[in-house]
Amino acid sequence: MADPTARALRLLTLMQGRRDWPGADLADRLGVSLRTLRRDVDRLRELGYPVQAQPGVDGGYRLAPGAALPPLVLDDDEAVALTVGLQAAAAGAVGGMAEASVRALTKVVPVLPARLRRRVDALQAMTVPAPPWSDGGPPVDAELLVTVAQACREGERLTFTHTAAGGEPGERLVEPHRLVPLGRRWYLVAYDPSRGDWRSFRLDRVSDARGDGARFAPRALPAPDAAAFVRAGIDRWRTPVVVEAVVEAPAAVVRDRVGRWAQLDDDGPGRCRLRMETDSLDWPALVLGATRAEFTVLAPDQLCDRLSEWSARFARAVSD
């Protein structure tokens, strides 16, 4: 790579994607000598990038934290991911980040090339958000999220206080693997040496997280990926309620009104059968109300009781 400017940008991209680089590996990636690499590193330092040199036979370079944030170099996929992530945070997915995310978006979006804006728009169009009346999930502290993510990235053991479902707090020391956003919640997948097994932890139940400085060798996760591991754990304890009802409207009409939140099949002229699985009876009550049609609940009986409670509450709200 003959152009010094292009080479410096390529060097910066490589260093931002990995913590430590042996000098020989960097020179090989750039197709230059070690002497030229040293000049390129000096050029980055002159531009304000805090590049640290590690002496010795196996020495190399590291992009260290600085007093101020220098310009970042992002490839196309990273720019799209950054924009979509900021949009999600602006919607309140991460506690305390909405205002800062909006400010960041005002700087990122205007400079996106047209081709990347189209990719962002397409990704948003094909993403199904949770409905506005559904549970948004407990907020996650942004600083906690960053601390855990950095420990996963650096392969550093993590200590934290974890509050179990029953409310009992306890100290944990784990080898963090991945963060998984699932079901409007954040989960940490980690290996717990004290229990000799893998665990997933809801981040809204985690506090006082900090790295202890000790590194660990990666272990093989007993699942196709971290998301599959979390899903398997949730499914093991979940006992969903099956809701069935007959709605006095054609399936096509009801489908337009409730979207993908229920399975709908025609059940005779001007009638359809609605079926859904849920962990909360409030959700099917909302869906059935959104059909804007007469309906009869077939199962479960508890849903009939819930609808009676709602009916009485609504009636009191409009009574004189």
Side-chain angles (χ1 to χ4, degrees):
M1 188 178 292
D3 184 354
T5 301
R7 197 170 60 241
L9 289 174
R10 173 62 176 159
L11 172 60
L12 181 58
T13 300
L14 290 171
M15 297 195 70
Q16 287 178 340
R18 178 170 151 185
R19 181 178 176 86
D20 295 300
W21 276 98
D25 287 357
L26 274 177
D28 183 63
R29 288 289 192 96
L30 297 172
V32 299
S33 66
L34 288 174
R35 183 177 180 180
T36 300
L37 174 64
R38 286 193 290 270
R39 288 201 299 265
D40 290 340
V41 168
D42 289 339
R43 186 175 293 111
L44 289 183
R45 289 168 175 159
E46 291 172 1
L47 293 172
Y49 293 93
V51 181
Q52 292 180 344
Q54 298 168 308
V57 177
D58 297 323
Y61 297 94
R62 169 188 295 183
L63 191 60
L69 178 67
L72 299 176
V73 176
L74 304 174
D75 63 27
D76 287 1
D77 290 340
E78 291 169 341
V80 171
L82 175 65
T83 304
V84 173
L86 285 171
Q87 289 168 338
V94 180
M97 292 294 288
E99 183 179 352
S101 298
V102 171
R103 292 201 306 269
L105 281 170
T106 62
K107 300 176 182 178
V108 174
V109 172
V111 298
L112 280 178
R115 69 180 189 282
L116 297 187
R117 289 197 190 188
R118 287 193 294 269
R119 288 179 59 183
V120 170
D121 292 341
L123 185 57
Q124 284 186 307
M126 298 306 295
T127 301
V128 179
W133 55 79
S134 67
D135 177 15
V140 175
D141 180 71
E143 184 176 352
L144 169 66
L145 195 62
V146 171
T147 298
V148 175
Q150 287 179 333
C152 291
R153 178 174 178 265
E154 302 297 339
E156 181 182 7
R157 290 195 310 180
L158 190 70
T159 65
F160 54 82
T161 301
H162 177 256
T163 302
E168 306 85 6
E171 297 299 315
R172 307 299 282 266
L173 173 63
V174 302
E175 299 173 0
H177 176 67
R178 290 289 186 277
L179 282 171
V180 177
L182 188 65
R184 301 185 296 279
R185 290 184 172 89
W186 283 92
Y187 295 85
L188 165 65
V189 175
Y191 183 81
D192 190 333
S194 66
R195 290 162 173 78
D197 201 1
W198 289 85
R199 293 286 190 271
S200 63
F201 303 91
R202 273 177 44 180
L203 281 196
D204 57 286
R205 294 177 177 170
V206 169
S207 60
D208 301 324
R210 60 196 179 279
D212 74 347
R215 307 286 174 172
F216 60 89
R219 301 175 186 265
L221 181 70
D225 55 44
F229 181 83
V230 174
R231 289 192 189 96
I234 294 174
D235 291 342
R236 189 180 306 124
W237 300 104
R238 190 179 64 151
T239 54
V241 176
V242 177
V243 172
E244 289 192 65
V246 173
V247 181
E248 302 299 329
V253 173
V254 176
R255 191 172 293 111
D256 286 340
R257 293 173 179 173
V258 303
R260 59 184 287 271
W261 303 111
Q263 176 185 328
L264 298 161
D265 299 294
D266 284 315
D267 192 37
R271 171 184 293 182
C272 69
R273 187 174 291 256
L274 178 148
R275 187 180 187 279
M276 59 188 299
E277 293 185 1
T278 180
D279 297 327
S280 169
L281 292 177
D282 290 336
W283 179 231
L286 286 166
V287 171
L288 287 168
T291 65
R292 302 201 301 273
E294 299 293 325
F295 61 86
T296 302
V297 174
L298 304 180
D301 292 339
Q302 297 94 319
L303 179 57
C304 297
D305 297 336
R306 184 64 54 86
L307 291 173
S308 295
E309 294 175 10
W310 282 34
S311 297
R313 188 177 306 117
F314 291 159
R316 289 193 297 271
V318 298
S319 61
D320 293 333

